[in-house]
Structures are given as structure tokens and as C-alpha cells.
Amino acid sequence: MTSISSGRLLRLTVAAGAVGALTLIEPRRLGPWTRAAYRVGTAAVSGLLVADTTTEEGALLDPALDGLLTGGVTLGLMDLSEHLDHRIVGGLHRLGVSRPRLLLAGIGAAGAAALYLVPTPTWAERGGELAPSEDDQATVEMPEQVRALIAALLAPPADGGDHAGAPALRTQLDSTRVIDVGSGSSDVMLVVERAERLAVPWNQTWPVTGRFDQGGFCFSLELQIDEGRLGMLSVMVLDEDERVDEALEFLDRPGYELPTPQAITLHHESESEEPSDALP
């Protein structure tokens, strides 16, 4: 049996608790600031976990740099991570798991604990070679409905003026494709192949959202900007809808479809709670 010091046991307990607590959070319920804090926290925990459990012999660079690299990669892949998290939770719901997040939190905590209990293999034990890198994810042409929805969110306000970064983002639409993740996803991951201009601020939730009703639930269509590029078109449950879990399950059902541009009502972040006119 592997022996473990009291200090390492304490770090194991803290790490397992942190991973479990982060897994219990539903990212789709978070606002822009709390989601940013959640993403930074997740990246920090991932980096610290790798740095604390990697040995000098098993490190790619050294434990501290490996941890820093892991944290940066984790932060950069949070959009994809949250998308996969959503699909896993929805799949567990469909399998009859009443509290899928609790199950995932237990698995995550156990995985974190295992990193402290299982020794990191050395490069010689790994064969002295780097693991093969994964192929880039396949992309497909952006559906015209998605393009029209994004264009509606980026359109200049009817009362004049324009949002900062909007002209740059509009130029990216023609060279934007979507990641092919199969059917059953309410989020659309975007890949800008050529970005001659970048939006500032680089990372933001676009200040214009599109509200719509479907299946008796109220949703908000949000556009995420990553590093100045179009990043993801997300469907969020409105805070005032008390049936959040039911609404999230609805998004996983085969009958769900993205709304048409005519079905959304534009809301600008700087406006009052009075809805603006729906698109003609």
C-alpha cells in the first residue's frame, strides 16, 4: 500500500474538495462576472493540482511550469469544457440520474485524490515520447440561421451609434465556421478562420442578447467573444424562470431548435428592463 504523509493527505483532501465543489456548479446559471470567476477558479485548481502531484522525473518541463501550462490550457478550453459538461449532465438526466452533478462531483473528487495516491510515471516508463496530439476538431459551414442570429445581435442599434467591437466582429462572419459536435446541442461553437480585425474588449459576453420563448420556457441567446473573435452562440435560461432544471432538460430534447431571427427580442445591456421591439 502506498504510504502518504499527513501534509500530503491534507492537500489531497483540500484538492478533492475543491474539485468536487467546482463540479457542483452549473456554469449555465452564472452571469458574466461569476462565470469569469468560475473559469479562473477552475483553471487555478487544475494548475495547482498538476503542480502538486507531478514529480521532477515525470514532469514535461518541471512541476511548476507544468502546472502553469495546465492552468492556461484549461482556461483557454473552458468554452469547450462547459459545452461538454452540459451534454454530459443532459445525458445523465436522460438515463434517469436524478442528481447528475452530485455524481460528477464524486467522480471528480475521487480523480483528484487518485492523483496523490498514484505515482506519476517517469519519461522512461512512458516510452520517452510525448503523447500524440489530438487532431483539430472538424468544422462545417455555418448554417444560415445561425449567421442570421449572430448578425441580428451585432446589428447597429435602431437609435443610432454602434457597440464597440461590432464592426470588427461583423467582418468576421464571412470566414466563420462552426465546430461539428453532432446533434442535440443548444450551443454553437464558432471558429473564425480569418480575422482581419479583432473586437475590443477581447473577452466578453456581447452586450446585446436575444430573448425568446420555446416549450413554455424563457431563454436568452448570448454571444461569447474570445480573444477578439466570435467564440460561441449560447442559449441561457433567464434568471426569472424558476424552472431552471426543467428548462435545461428541454434544451437536450430532440424537439428543441434554435429560434428564427424573427422570434427573438433584442435586449441591450445599457437599456432598462423594458423589452425592445422584436425583429421584423
Side-chain angles (χ1 to χ4, degrees):
M1 178 180 291
T2 303
S3 61
I4 184 169
S5 66
S6 58
R8 191 171 179 82
L9 179 61
L10 175 62
R11 300 200 303 277
L12 179 156
T13 304
V14 172
V19 171
L22 285 170
T23 309
L24 286 173
I25 296 173
E26 172 54 71
R28 297 170 68 84
R29 298 184 185 179
L30 303 177
W33 291 106
T34 50
R35 176 180 282 192
Y38 163 77
R39 291 183 171 188
V40 171
T42 300
V45 169
S46 300
L48 290 172
L49 192 58
V50 168
D52 197 32
T53 57
T54 303
T55 63
E56 292 287 349
E57 295 80 9
L60 175 62
L61 302 173
D62 68 56
L65 289 177
D66 281 8
L68 186 62
L69 180 62
T70 300
V73 171
T74 300
L75 188 60
L77 295 177
M78 283 303 296
D79 280 334
L80 179 59
S81 175
E82 290 172 15
H83 171 75
L84 293 176
D85 172 90
H86 167 61
R87 298 197 71 184
I88 291 171
V89 170
L92 291 174
H93 266 302
R94 291 191 294 273
L95 290 175
V97 179
S98 59
R99 302 185 68 181
R101 288 219 162 271
L102 188 59
L103 173 62
L104 293 176
I107 294 174
L115 291 177
Y116 285 87
L117 298 174
V118 179
T120 304
T122 64
W123 283 109
E125 294 169 332
R126 297 176 191 173
E129 297 180 357
L130 289 171
S133 59
E134 297 182 1
D135 293 333
D136 293 337
Q137 290 181 291
T139 61
V140 296
E141 291 289 336
M142 182 190 298
E144 286 304 317
Q145 182 179 359
V146 174
R147 187 184 305 276
L149 287 170
I150 296 175
L153 297 179
L154 295 176
D159 57 359
D162 209 350
H163 292 284
L169 295 172
R170 287 195 288 265
T171 65
Q172 297 176 10
L173 268 176
D174 289 339
S175 64
T176 299
R177 295 169 64 85
V178 301
I179 295 179
D180 185 11
V181 294
S183 60
S185 173
S186 59
D187 294 335
V188 182
M189 309 289 291
L190 308 171
V191 177
V192 180
E193 295 187 328
R194 297 183 307 278
E196 297 179 1
R197 300 173 59 189
L198 300 178
V200 178
W202 279 25
N203 299 287
Q204 58 173 304
T205 298
W206 191 244
V208 181
T209 60
R211 297 188 180 184
F212 65 97
D213 297 331
Q214 193 173 138
F217 302 103
C218 300
F219 298 103
S220 176
L221 199 64
E222 298 186 359
L223 182 62
Q224 306 295 329
I225 310 303
D226 296 322
E227 297 185 353
R229 298 173 174 83
L230 298 169
M232 180 171 64
L233 188 66
S234 303
V235 177
M236 310 296 290
V237 181
L238 288 178
D239 294 338
E240 54 261 35
D241 197 322
E242 298 178 354
R243 301 167 299 164
V244 174
D245 291 336
E246 295 178 40
L248 291 174
E249 289 180 24
F250 173 79
L251 294 177
D252 291 318
R253 296 175 190 169
Y256 166 77
E257 295 180 350
L258 279 172
T260 63
Q262 293 75 22
I264 66 174
T265 301
L266 295 180
H267 284 251
H268 295 257
E269 191 174 82
S270 58
E271 294 179 352
S272 66
E273 288 303 311
E274 292 297 325
S276 58
D277 295 332
L279 292 177

